[in-house]
């Protein structure tokens, strides 16, 4: 096992719904060959609530190797590549379960507040994540909205994720607010994976 790892976000980084990802194809191929040659683990870290076969096809389009580990759902789910399929990390899954984060309760609290903030529930198929959709919301209003939600949802982490090709400036936000257990998160999941890889290399 290499002493190095490479990690990347997906949407807006490796994958973009325009020609930029295709223009980077040859560089991604070269990088992927180096990762394989030197046995360097490649970790994909994404806010996507699920990672499915179509996601692997999108990875292939970018010229990037299939990741060895995928942290998805903004750090609520982790899967490891075993052969040609992904296997759920049971230890991480138990951590999420032990947080006793009640997704339905979060949805119940959010629902009556959505019309006030011109937001729409856009649920996920993950038990540890839900989200709402916001379009062209003033950043000042977004700040107040997040503060209100946070007061009503202790034990919940709220993340903002801009959507590619939609209006996003210093003053306007378009995208999702993600609601996950406070113990989760991309950075938390990544540290967990790095610790595991270090243990395996000993």
């Amino acid at each position: 096992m290499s002493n190095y790892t490479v990690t990347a976000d997906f949407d807006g980084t490796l994958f973009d719904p325009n020609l930029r990802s295709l223009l980077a194809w040859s560089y991604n191929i070269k990088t992927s060959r180096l990762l394989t040659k030197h046995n360097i683990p490649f970790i994909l870290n994404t806010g996507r609530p699920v990672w499915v076969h179509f996601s692997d096809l999108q990875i292939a389009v970018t010229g990037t190797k299939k990741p060895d580990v995928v942290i998805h759902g903004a750090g609520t789910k982790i899967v490891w590549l075993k052969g040609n399929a992904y296997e759920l990390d049971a230890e991480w899954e138990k951590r999420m379960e032990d947080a006793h984060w009640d997704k339905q309760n979060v949805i119940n609290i959010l629902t009556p507040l959505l019309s006030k903030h011109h937001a729409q529930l856009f649920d996920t198929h993950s038990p540890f994540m839900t989200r709402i959709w916001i379009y062209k919301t003033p950043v000042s209003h977004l700040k107040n909205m997040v503060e209100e939600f946070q007061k009503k949802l202790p034990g919940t982490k709220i993340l903002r994720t801009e959507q590619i090709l939609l209006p996003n400036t210093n003053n306007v936000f378009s995208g999702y607010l993600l609601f996950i257990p406070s113990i989760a998160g991309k950075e938390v999941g990544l540290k967990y994976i790095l610790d595991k890889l270090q243990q395996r290399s000993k």
Side-chain angles (χ1 to χ4, degrees):
M1 181 71 69
S2 169
N3 291 325
Y4 299 94
T5 58
V6 171
T7 185
D9 187 23
F10 190 47
D11 296 293
T13 306
L14 291 178
F15 178 76
D16 212 320
N18 57 38
L19 290 176
R20 283 187 294 179
S21 59
L22 297 178
L23 294 174
W25 189 83
S26 63
Y27 297 101
N28 291 339
I29 284 285
K30 292 175 183 176
T31 301
S32 296
R33 286 174 179 167
L34 286 172
L35 294 177
T36 301
K37 178 181 178 181
H38 297 287
N39 197 27
I40 298 173
F42 174 46
I43 307 166
L44 198 66
N45 203 340
T46 175
R48 290 191 178 198
V50 295
W51 190 260
V52 293
H53 180 62
F54 182 67
S55 307
D56 283 332
L57 292 178
Q58 290 175 312
I59 275 282
V61 166
T62 68
T64 307
K65 67 167 285 192
K66 203 168 184 175
D68 300 291
V69 188
V70 180
I71 304 167
H72 63 90
T76 59
K77 292 276 186 178
I78 295 176
V79 291
W80 295 75
L81 185 63
K82 302 290 184 181
N84 201 40
Y86 289 107
E87 184 178 291
L88 189 66
D89 189 304
E91 182 182 339
W92 187 255
E93 189 78 0
K94 188 173 187 310
R95 285 194 191 187
M96 295 298 105
E97 291 171 353
D98 288 347
H100 300 293
W101 187 75
D102 190 338
K103 173 180 173 176
Q104 189 57 54
N105 182 58
V106 171
I107 292 175
N108 292 343
I109 291 172
L110 287 174
T111 300
L113 302 172
L114 297 181
S115 59
K116 169 185 174 182
H117 295 294
H118 307 289
Q120 180 181 357
L121 182 68
F122 205 97
D123 195 24
T124 69
H125 296 291
S126 169
F128 309 122
M129 176 183 178
T130 191
R131 59 186 175 178
I132 62 174
W133 169 256
I134 306 164
Y135 183 69
K136 293 182 71 173
T137 297
V139 170
S140 56
H141 180 75
L142 178 67
K143 180 176 181 294
N144 294 332
M145 185 193 317
V146 171
E147 288 177 354
E148 179 182 0
F149 290 159
Q150 196 67 78
K151 287 178 183 177
K152 294 179 181 293
L153 296 169
T156 295
K157 186 179 290 185
I158 304 175
L159 308 173
R160 310 171 197 189
T161 172
E162 297 177 349
Q163 291 300 287
I164 302 169
L165 304 181
L166 291 181
N168 277 292
T169 67
N170 290 334
N171 301 313
V172 171
F173 174 86
S174 297
Y176 294 109
L177 288 184
L178 310 180
F179 299 81
I180 61 175
S182 59
I183 66 166
K186 284 184 173 183
E187 73 290 351
V188 187
L190 181 59
K191 183 181 184 305
Y192 168 83
I193 292 299
L194 293 176
D195 288 344
K196 268 205 161 184
L197 290 173
Q198 186 176 41
Q199 290 168 12
R200 291 181 179 186
S201 67
K202 290 179 179 179

